[in-house]
């Protein structure tokens, strides 16, 4: 099993719809989790951290399921500007050096 | 805050030539990472430094790759000799020892093409 696994997509979603995608991780001792967003030909940028109780940031909701070892990202009322690649990131340790990136899920919002 | 600064933005070189990529991390950050990104392999960690000291270089593909961090504000990644399979986007990122959950700040990347 890969350390961090994501469905590469692409997910083609009409504007205004709700879309969700998951990411699975193999190391049950992983301690922190993140979603990064990467626009075409740009650098990855932190979208949000994922907390154990789940958390929301505007239209974005992140969930963590430790028992099944996956995290999810839900986007409500999707906008054209949400089109990007979403990278799941798992930190197996406590510091900055334990980060593992998934290959990303490509999302296309269609007008 | 200027962010992480990488240069050059684009590099086109011929096989066999030496390539040097440069990175200036965010001031105050004590971790610096070099990543390589391709469509096939995604983001791969090549090497990272903590307080200017290389900690883990197990991701460096082979001896043709080397990285240095002579001081807290500058790092280089060198490929000598370069090969076409080295073509990729190379990102530098930095962060600080803020406990778990410290986000990475990436530079704009260097798009390397080796012909």
């Amino acid at each position: 099993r890969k350390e961090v696994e994501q469905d590469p997509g692409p997910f083609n979603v009409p504007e205004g719809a709700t879309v969700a995608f998951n990411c699975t991780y193999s190391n049950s001792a992983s301690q922190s989790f993140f979603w990064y967003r990467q626009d075409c030909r740009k650098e990855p940028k932190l979208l949000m951290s994922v907390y154990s109780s789940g958390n929301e940031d505007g239209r974005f909701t992140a969930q963590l399921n430790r028992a099944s070892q996956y995290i999810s990202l839900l986007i409500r009322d999707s906008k054209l500007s949400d089109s990007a690649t979403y990278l799941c990131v798992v930190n197996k340790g406590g510091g900055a050096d334990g980060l593992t990136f998934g290959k990303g899920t490509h999302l296309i919002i269609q007008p | 805050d200027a962010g992480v600064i990488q240069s050059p933005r684009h590099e086109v070189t011929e096989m066999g030539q030496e390539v040097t990529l440069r990175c200036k991390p965010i001031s105050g950050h004590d971790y610096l990472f070099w990543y390589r990104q391709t469509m096939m392999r995604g983001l791969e960690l090549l090497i990272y430094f903590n307080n200017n000291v290389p900690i883990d270089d197990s991701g460096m593909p082979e001896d043709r790759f080397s990285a240095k961090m002579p001081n807290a504000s500058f790092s280089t990644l060198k490929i000598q000799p370069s090969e076409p399979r080295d073509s990729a986007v190379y990102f530098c990122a930095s962060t600080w020892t803020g406990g778990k959950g410290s986000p990475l700040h990436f530079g704009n990347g260097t798009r390397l093409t080796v012909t």
Side-chain angles (χ1 to χ4, degrees):
Chain A
R1 185 178 182 184
K2 293 180 183 175
E3 282 194 70
V4 179
E5 203 153 2
Q6 296 183 251
D7 182 341
F11 283 52
N12 288 283
V13 174
E15 190 176 8
T18 295
V19 59
F21 28 86
N22 292 340
C23 161
T24 58
Y25 60 94
S26 61
N27 188 338
S28 59
S30 297
Q31 297 190 24
S32 51
F33 310 87
F34 310 89
W35 284 103
Y36 277 69
R37 171 193 168 128
Q38 186 172 22
D39 293 302
C40 187
R41 303 179 79 86
K42 299 281 191 179
E43 74 276 20
K45 291 183 179 178
L46 179 66
L47 176 66
M48 60 195 299
S49 301
V50 185
Y51 301 123
S52 296
S53 55
N55 49 298
E56 228 177 78
D57 183 1
R59 298 180 293 107
F60 296 82
T61 300
Q63 297 277 358
L64 167 64
N65 186 317
R66 284 194 184 272
S68 301
Q69 293 181 211
Y70 74 86
I71 66 173
S72 63
L73 179 67
L74 183 141
I75 306 174
R76 289 182 300 278
D77 187 24
S78 53
K79 313 290 184 191
L80 295 177
S81 57
D82 295 333
S83 298
T85 296
Y86 291 84
L87 303 169
C88 169
V89 185
V90 175
N91 192 342
K92 60 187 176 187
D97 49 345
L99 294 174
T100 301
F101 282 77
K103 289 187 179 180
T105 296
H106 188 200
L107 175 65
I108 301 170
I109 305 299
Q110 296 174 327
Chain B
D1 187 349
V4 176
I5 300 172
Q6 289 187 247
S7 64
R9 289 296 304 275
H10 302 274
E11 177 79 40
V12 180
T13 191
E14 291 183 349
M15 183 174 65
Q17 297 298 306
E18 178 179 296
V19 175
T20 300
L21 312 181
R22 297 173 176 80
C23 175
K24 176 179 167 53
I26 292 173
S27 177
H29 283 189
D30 57 350
Y31 278 91
L32 184 141
F33 301 79
W34 282 101
Y35 285 89
R36 177 172 69 176
Q37 187 175 39
T38 61
M39 289 289 292
M40 289 294 293
R41 300 160 89 83
L43 261 174
E44 300 175 281
L45 177 63
L46 300 176
I47 185 172
Y48 76 91
F49 297 82
N50 180 219
N51 291 321
N52 313 338
V53 176
I55 303 299
D56 184 356
D57 66 353
S58 59
M60 296 284 260
E62 47 199 89
D63 292 345
R64 297 185 298 106
F65 286 67
S66 62
K68 294 181 180 179
M69 192 165 185
N71 56 63
S73 58
F74 184 65
S75 177
T76 59
L77 177 68
K78 188 174 292 187
I79 308 172
Q80 165 63 17
S82 57
E83 296 182 3
R85 60 190 166 128
D86 301 331
S87 298
V89 180
Y90 290 80
F91 287 106
C92 175
S94 70
T95 190
W96 70 99
T97 310
K100 61 181 179 180
S102 304
L104 285 182
H105 296 260
F106 284 83
N108 291 334
T110 295
R111 187 171 295 274
L112 174 64
T113 303
V114 183
T115 61

